[in-house]
Amino acid sequence: MNLNKEMVLKIIDNALREDIGTGDITTQAVIDQDQEMTADILAKEDGIIVGLDVAFWVFEYLDSSVEFRPLVKEGERVARGTVIAKVSGLTTSILTGERLALNFLQRMSGIATQTAYYRSLVKDYDVRIVDTRKTTPGLRILEKWAVKLGGGANHRFGLYDAVMIKDNHIRAVEGIQEAVKRARQNIPHTMKIEVETESLADVKEALAAKADIIMLDNMSFEMMEEAVRLIANKAIVEASGGITAENIIEVAKTGIDVISLGTLTHSIKSLDISLNF
């Protein structure tokens, strides 16, 4: 995926409407309209910086005359105390855009930093760390971009770009094989089919249905190992559910191909970043 500016500008427009409303009362009341200043954007803890373009687009959207100068690269790891960018221009424009620009930078950098941490835990194993659809509504493109810059990979973007047959689909049509059969009849031949499984019986049924990807959902390590043995490279194997920093190495040891983690986007700590004149 790429960071589509047109999509991001729609997010920025909505966010600025929410934040500014009828106007930045404090800034308008306190600051001279023609005053100009320069501000440093500072990383207050170690981490991976993502969202510099988005922060720039916030200021650009408010005032095209604002100058935004990144001092580090997108996706670069920095130490606490690093000045990551400088912003120059009308003081009113900088103050009005400050909070939103920082919100994006902090959250995206937090996601990238957490992704890099999980990736480092399994660096010795041939396994991919991927995200899920458990993202903040309306911010998916930003959060998935941050995962990618943190060294992870992206799962499907939405319901429209991949087939993923989950437990409720299976219950609704009374079986994995029937669900896969219906999917194959109604999708292009170029599209893969993923099936979520909860037991070894499910795995065997998904294999019989010739699923392209088999997800092992909330399985024990022992069950995962047996599932990998049963699948025997006939499908890509994904593990999901209940995976934490404490057990991810044991999951990787089972021989699965992909680990999907909702925690990359739904349970992150934003990186501490500030803007100072």
Side-chain angles (χ1 to χ4, degrees):
M1 65 167 289
N2 293 312
L3 198 57
N4 183 292
K5 185 175 181 179
E6 183 177 350
M7 291 180 66
V8 176
L9 287 179
K10 291 178 181 178
I11 295 171
I12 290 171
D13 179 72
N14 286 333
L16 285 173
R17 288 175 187 274
E18 175 185 65
D19 201 31
I20 297 172
T22 57
D24 180 353
I25 295 174
T26 308
T27 297
Q28 291 173 356
V30 173
I31 305 300
D32 291 337
Q33 295 301 301
D34 59 353
Q35 181 182 1
E36 295 189 359
M37 293 192 74
T38 296
D40 291 339
I41 298 181
L42 178 75
K44 298 175 72 175
E45 58 183 319
D46 299 350
I48 293 176
I49 301 301
V50 175
L52 291 165
D53 285 341
V54 180
F56 166 56
W57 293 338
V58 169
F59 291 114
E60 182 184 52
Y61 194 86
L62 282 168
D63 180 355
S64 61
S65 70
V66 171
E67 180 184 346
F68 185 93
R69 183 161 62 93
L71 300 179
V72 300
K73 294 180 181 178
E74 186 85 334
E76 182 176 337
R77 182 177 290 278
V78 303
R80 175 185 178 184
T82 301
V83 177
I84 62 174
K86 287 185 176 289
V87 188
S88 301
L90 289 174
T91 307
T92 53
S93 299
I94 295 172
L95 287 170
T96 300
E98 172 187 0
R99 183 70 268 152
L100 182 58
L102 289 178
N103 283 351
F104 285 137
L105 261 175
Q106 289 177 311
R107 181 159 184 82
M108 293 174 74
S109 296
I111 289 171
T113 300
Q114 176 142 296
T115 301
Y117 170 63
Y118 274 94
R119 187 71 195 90
S120 72
L121 294 175
V122 295
K123 66 182 186 301
D124 296 329
Y125 301 90
D126 186 18
V127 63
R128 301 180 81 190
I129 298 296
V130 306
D131 54 28
T132 70
R133 285 170 47 244
K134 294 177 182 177
T135 55
T136 307
L139 300 184
R140 183 168 294 170
I141 187 173
L142 303 182
E143 295 183 349
K144 282 184 171 282
W145 177 253
V147 168
K148 183 176 179 181
L149 270 288
N154 300 134
H155 208 293
R156 58 178 178 164
F157 192 85
L159 295 173
Y160 56 86
D161 62 351
V163 174
M164 186 170 173
I165 299 172
K166 297 175 68 67
D167 53 355
N168 284 330
H169 296 107
I170 294 164
R171 293 186 186 111
V173 298
E174 300 182 348
I176 289 173
Q177 293 204 53
E178 179 63 19
V180 172
K181 175 185 174 183
R182 293 188 184 194
R184 289 204 189 284
Q185 290 172 342
N186 290 289
I187 62 172
H189 69 281
T190 55
M191 189 172 285
K192 294 182 183 295
I193 294 175
E194 178 167 6
V195 175
E196 180 182 275
T197 62
E198 298 176 340
S199 66
L200 293 178
D202 286 348
V203 170
K204 291 174 183 177
E205 192 174 352
L207 279 170
K210 294 183 169 51
D212 302 292
I213 307 161
I214 298 177
M215 176 191 284
L216 313 180
D217 185 45
N218 281 293
M219 289 190 183
S220 66
F221 304 137
E222 295 76 17
M223 194 179 293
M224 284 186 199
E225 288 178 341
E226 180 60 17
V228 169
R229 189 190 67 78
L230 285 171
I231 295 167
N233 295 318
K234 298 183 186 74
I236 295 170
V237 188
E238 177 181 338
S240 188
I243 300 171
T244 66
E246 287 70 34
N247 65 21
I248 193 170
I249 293 175
E250 294 303 314
V251 174
K253 285 180 179 178
T254 65
I256 49 87
D257 304 302
V258 176
I259 298 175
S260 54
L261 296 164
T263 190
L264 297 182
T265 52
H266 72 57
S267 300
I268 66 103
K269 175 185 174 295
S270 294
L271 201 69
D272 194 0
I273 300 172
S274 65
L275 183 150
N276 302 311
F277 285 130

